[in-house]
Amino acid sequence: MESTDQDTLAAARRMEAYIDAHIREPITAKSLAEVAGYSQYHAARIFKQHTGRMPFEYIRERRLVNAALTLRRDKKKVIDVALDFVFDSHEGFSRAFAKAFGIAPKNFSSLPEPSGWMIPFRVLNRPNRNREERKMAENTAIIFTQIIERPARKLLLKFSQSAEDYFGYCQEFGCADNETGNSIPWEIVSGIKEALYEPVGMWLPENMRPAGTGIYAQGTELPAGYSGAIPDGFAIIDLSPCKLLVFQGEPFDDNDFEQAIVGLWERIEKFNPEVYGYEYADELAPRMQLVPLGWRGYIEMRPVREMAASPQGVKG
């Protein structure tokens, strides 16, 4: 008897429940297959069909999210949390955490807790969220939001002549590697050892864009005291300390990166930071995007500032 969609959905839900119940224990393909009632091959295929990702991707995501919440709630040592969630070493956990969330676990655990940090959009604890927003949250894909602090720093970048996005930028400067699609400026800034974070694509506010240049650029953030060489054709901008609101979408198939980007843009457009007591402050820093990697989801950052007073309500 052939399986129906209802049967396979039930199997996927059983696997999800098993993963959540055993998230602190080793989970094997064999154990998931037994829970699903299918072969290992078909269990994995069914799981991806109904969740959009392979079981090991889902397990890794859930472990990292739960580890992050544990670091915030219990203030445990990083090595203890790493072992609790079945990572082999402190170093491996720290690398995975930093790649997924853009911050080292030790730094994450020591910063003051901002509203909404690392919580899925659909379950954010927002006491002034109205019924329409709750309904929208239940029907939307998960996005993660967090607010991070950036110190005073420098921005090393290559201005474009007229680019408005990544594709226009690559048309101007060409790609150093046709397989990765990275632009030549990107390859250059990726090799700067003093960089504070990974390279970014960015949309520049008007106050940071010289006349006759495009909106879109690529570059990297450097220490405020950086005095090293500046590559030919690049420029340096001083950036003041600021807060960045980070949006991170769900993992996606690498071939579907354009849909993942557009999908997150649609959700960002609907996102209202004022319900957290923040407002966008685009003049403080560029809107930045990290390289889209399917396993971690697409990530964008936009500067914000705290509002003078928390809003009393949300307009529909």
Side-chain angles (χ1 to χ4, degrees):
M1 183 175 180
E2 292 187 2
S3 299
T4 65
D5 285 344
Q6 188 173 1
D7 292 334
T8 59
L9 176 59
R13 293 293 176 262
R14 289 197 298 271
M15 286 187 279
E16 285 182 295
Y18 180 87
I19 290 169
D20 288 341
H22 297 81
I23 198 66
R24 293 172 180 259
E25 306 166 19
I27 299 172
T28 65
K30 180 181 179 181
S31 63
L32 287 177
E34 290 174 350
V35 169
Y38 291 86
S39 69
Q40 293 184 27
Y41 171 79
H42 282 95
R45 184 175 60 82
I46 288 168
F47 193 90
K48 184 171 184 180
Q49 174 187 347
H50 290 287
T51 69
R53 46 206 187 276
M54 296 296 289
F56 76 89
E57 294 174 323
Y58 179 85
I59 293 168
R60 188 177 186 84
E61 173 190 317
R62 298 306 303 160
R63 283 179 173 157
L64 286 170
V65 169
N66 280 278
L69 294 174
T70 299
L71 284 168
R72 303 296 299 185
R73 183 183 61 241
D74 300 339
K75 301 298 182 183
K76 297 178 69 173
K77 293 182 179 179
V78 172
I79 182 59
D80 292 336
V81 174
L83 296 176
D84 282 347
F85 289 97
V86 205
F87 284 86
D88 293 333
S89 67
H90 180 291
E91 292 76 14
F93 172 69
S94 295
R95 284 196 301 270
F97 193 100
K99 286 183 178 180
F101 304 124
I103 184 172
K106 184 176 181 180
N107 294 340
F108 175 75
S109 65
S110 63
L111 289 174
E113 183 174 2
S115 175
W117 191 305
M118 285 297 304
I119 304 299
F121 179 59
R122 66 168 65 130
V123 296
L124 281 172
N125 180 20
R126 294 163 56 185
N128 57 351
R129 187 172 66 186
N130 61 32
R131 184 169 60 184
E132 290 183 1
E133 278 194 305
R134 287 196 297 270
K135 183 177 180 181
M136 181 190 74
E138 291 169 357
N139 294 320
T140 190
I142 288 178
I143 62 171
F144 293 100
T145 61
Q146 58 177 303
I147 293 175
I148 61 175
E149 298 272 358
R150 281 289 202 257
R153 62 215 185 278
K154 294 183 184 295
L155 176 63
L156 175 70
L157 74 164
K158 177 79 169 180
F159 290 110
S160 65
Q161 294 181 355
S162 59
E164 297 184 356
D165 54 27
Y166 160 82
F167 296 104
Y169 195 84
C170 282
Q171 285 181 350
E172 284 193 26
F173 297 106
C175 293
D177 185 333
N178 289 328
E179 290 186 4
T180 65
N182 292 339
S183 71
I184 293 175
W186 185 279
E187 294 291 340
I188 291 173
V189 298
S190 295
I192 296 179
K193 296 180 180 179
E194 296 87 350
L196 293 173
Y197 318 102
E198 63 182 281
V200 294
M202 68 195 88
W203 290 268
L204 296 161
E206 188 173 352
N207 61 304
M208 295 182 185
R209 186 161 58 90
T213 60
I215 296 173
Y216 190 86
Q218 290 182 347
T220 194
E221 295 164 279
L222 301 170
Y226 178 77
S227 58
I230 299 175
D232 290 343
F234 281 72
I236 287 277
I237 294 176
D238 289 315
L239 296 178
S240 301
C242 71
K243 292 181 171 66
L244 295 176
L245 176 56
V246 181
F247 299 93
Q248 180 172 5
E250 292 183 286
F252 58 89
D253 188 298
D254 286 326
N255 293 325
D256 299 329
F257 73 95
E258 289 187 63
Q259 295 95 313
I261 292 173
V262 172
L264 188 64
W265 283 347
E266 291 174 350
R267 295 168 205 143
I268 291 174
E269 185 68 25
K270 298 175 182 177
F271 190 90
N272 181 10
E274 294 183 8
V275 299
Y276 302 107
Y278 289 91
E279 62 185 0
Y280 290 123
D282 293 328
E283 75 281 1
L284 297 180
R287 170 184 149 212
M288 295 182 283
Q289 62 176 178
L290 304 187
V291 61
L293 299 174
W295 60 267
R296 71 176 179 185
Y298 175 60
I299 300 173
E300 273 200 17
M301 300 179 286
R302 188 171 173 181
V304 292
R305 68 166 65 87
E306 292 185 54
M307 299 174 66
S310 297
Q312 298 301 312
V314 181
K315 295 181 179 180

